[in-house]
Amino acid sequence: MHEIDSRRPVKWISVPIVAKEQLQDVKYEKSEGEGIAKITINRPSKRNAFTPRTVLELSWCFADARDDPKVGVIILTGEGTLAFCSGGDQSVRGQGGYVGADEIPRLNVLDLQIQIRRLPKPVIAMVAGYAVGGGHILHMVCDITIAADNAVFGQTGPKVGSFDAGYGSTQMARLIGQKKAREMWFLARMYSAQQALDMGLVNTVVPLEQLEEETLVWCREILQNSPTAIRVLKAALNAAEDGHAGIQELGGNATLLFYLTEEGNEGRKAYLEKRPPDFSKFKRLP
Ligand code: S0N
C-alpha cells in the first residue's frame, strides 16, 4: 500500500495579496464632518441580491469603516426603494455555494454576518422594500433596524431550497422568540413593517420618504454618546450568546482599556527599561 509521508518538506510559494479593486456592486460613502459611513448594496435590478463579489465588497467597506477612527456608526442599506436585499443571487448559486468569477462556490455571507456582529461600532440596517432570505439575515445581525413603511420581511429558504442554521435561526429566535421564529422559517411567509415592529424584529417604522432622515437622527444620537461605552455594550450584548468568541470580544475590550491605563503601561515600561515593575502604587479597588 502506498504510504503518505506526512513529514515531507513543504514548498512555500509566495502569494501576492489581491489589491482592493473598484467597487462594482456596492456604494460606499461617508458623511462630511460627521462620523457616519453608509454602505449600499447597489444591484437594484436584482432587488439587491448578493453574489460572492457583492459580499466581498461589503466586507472591504465594513473593514474600512471599522478602521477609520472618525467613523462612529455605519448604515447598511440597499439601493432604491424596492429592496434592502433579496438574499443570495439565485442565478449564480451552484453546487456547494454561490459562484463568482473564480468559479469557486462560497457561502461568504456567513463571514460577513460575523464581521458585522463583531464590529465594535453600531451598524444600522436602513430597510426599504424587501429584506428577504439572506438579506433578512443581514438586517437581523445589524444592531438596529429602521424600517420604511413599505418594508417586507421574510425567509424564503424553505421555498428555494436553502436555510441558515446559524445566526439566521438563533438570532431570529432571540429577537422574536422560538414560536415566531419557527413560524417565520417553516411557513416562509412575508411580514409587513408593522408586523415586524410588533414582533420585535425592527426598532421603528417610518414613512418611506423619511427613512434616511430618521436613520440619521438615530446615528447622530448614538454619536453623541460615549464610543467606548457603546463598543463594550455591543460586545457585552453579544457575549452571553457567542460563547468563547463572545468572551474573546468582550475580553479584547478589557485589554484595550487596560492598555490605556498607567498600570497597564507600567509592566511594558519596566520591561523596556530593564527594571522590575512597580505595581505598588495602583489601588486594589473593592
Ligand atoms: C424579493 C422579491 C420578493 C421581490 O419581488 P418583486 O418585487 O416582484 O421583483 P421580481 O420581479 O421578483 O424581481 C426583480 C428582478 O430581480 C431578480 N431577483 C430578485 N431576487 C433575486 C435573487 N435572490 N436572486 C436572483 N435574482 C433575483 C428577479 O429574478 C427579477 O429579475 P428579472 O427582472 O430578470 O426577471 C422576489 O424577487 C423574490 O422572492 N426573490 C427571491 C428571494 C430569495 O429566495 N432569495 C434567496 C434566499 N436564500 C438565500 O438568500 C440564501 C443565502 C445564503 O447564501 C446563505 C447560505 C448559507 C447560510 C446562510 C445564508 C443566508 O441566508 O445568509
Side-chain angles (χ1 to χ4, degrees):
M1 199 174 76
H2 179 68
E3 283 194 23
I4 297 172
D5 176 11
S6 56
R7 293 183 189 277
R8 67 192 180 282
V10 68
K11 187 178 173 209
W12 295 110
I13 299 169
S14 179
V15 180
I17 295 288
V18 179
K20 290 180 189 173
E21 301 154 40
Q22 284 295 106
L23 296 177
Q24 298 167 6
D25 291 359
V26 171
K27 287 199 304 187
Y28 185 42
E29 296 155 289
K30 290 177 187 172
S31 61
E32 193 177 6
E34 294 187 80
I36 307 168
K38 184 166 76 162
I39 302 172
T40 307
I41 306 173
N42 190 19
R43 303 185 76 226
S45 65
K46 291 252 187 180
R47 298 294 184 268
N48 297 319
F50 55 76
T51 67
R53 169 79 195 195
T54 319
V55 172
L56 187 65
E57 291 185 17
L58 288 168
S59 180
W60 291 340
C61 298
F62 276 108
D64 180 275
R66 176 181 181 148
D67 285 351
D68 184 344
K70 293 198 200 80
V71 170
V73 60
I74 301 153
I75 299 170
L76 175 63
T77 192
E79 181 66 20
T81 57
L82 298 181
F84 169 75
C85 175
S86 63
D89 187 327
Q90 299 305 293
S91 67
V92 300
R93 183 172 149 191
Q95 285 190 323
Y98 293 82
V99 181
D102 61 8
E103 297 189 358
I104 297 171
R106 300 194 154 75
L107 296 170
N108 60 343
V109 74
L110 298 176
D111 300 324
L112 180 69
Q113 293 171 5
I114 291 173
Q115 188 181 13
I116 294 171
R117 181 144 176 116
R118 293 183 64 106
L119 204 146
K121 299 173 183 180
V123 181
I124 299 184
M126 183 169 83
V127 178
Y130 288 100
V132 299
H136 185 255
I137 296 158
L138 282 180
H139 104 82
M140 286 197 296
V141 297
C142 291
D143 299 294
I144 282 170
T145 299
I146 315 274
D149 53 9
N150 78 334
V152 178
F153 299 86
Q155 295 300 155
T156 59
K159 288 190 192 296
V160 294
S162 70
F163 55 85
D164 184 338
Y167 285 123
S169 300
T170 58
Q171 173 69 351
M172 184 194 287
R174 296 282 187 192
L175 290 174
I176 64 176
Q178 284 281 349
K179 292 279 185 190
K180 212 65 192 169
R182 285 160 207 248
E183 172 190 315
M184 203 165 183
W185 271 110
F186 297 172
L187 281 71
R189 284 182 182 167
M190 295 286 150
Y191 298 83
S192 70
Q194 187 56 50
Q195 286 172 310
L197 183 65
D198 295 342
M199 284 192 257
L201 202 50
V202 305
N203 295 80
T204 188
V205 178
V206 296
L208 175 62
E209 57 278 10
Q210 289 167 22
L211 180 61
E212 181 156 306
E213 181 188 319
E214 182 65 18
T215 306
L216 290 173
V217 169
W218 286 56
C219 290
R220 289 176 179 136
E221 255 181 80
I222 289 170
L223 287 169
Q224 283 169 13
N225 295 333
S226 155
T228 304
I230 287 168
R231 75 176 279 154
V232 175
L233 284 165
K234 177 165 176 173
L237 289 163
N238 289 347
E241 295 167 22
D242 287 359
H244 283 287
I247 293 167
Q248 190 226 27
E249 190 188 341
L250 194 56
N253 281 294
T255 305
L256 185 158
L257 292 173
F258 188 54
Y259 275 12
L260 294 171
T261 66
E262 196 188 340
E263 181 183 344
N265 280 292
E266 168 58 14
R268 177 184 64 86
K269 277 199 263 176
Y271 175 79
L272 292 175
E273 292 164 10
K274 300 188 188 307
R275 61 172 173 82
D278 177 12
F279 290 112
S280 63
K281 63 180 168 183
F282 301 111
K283 292 187 181 130
R284 290 172 169 81
L285 298 173

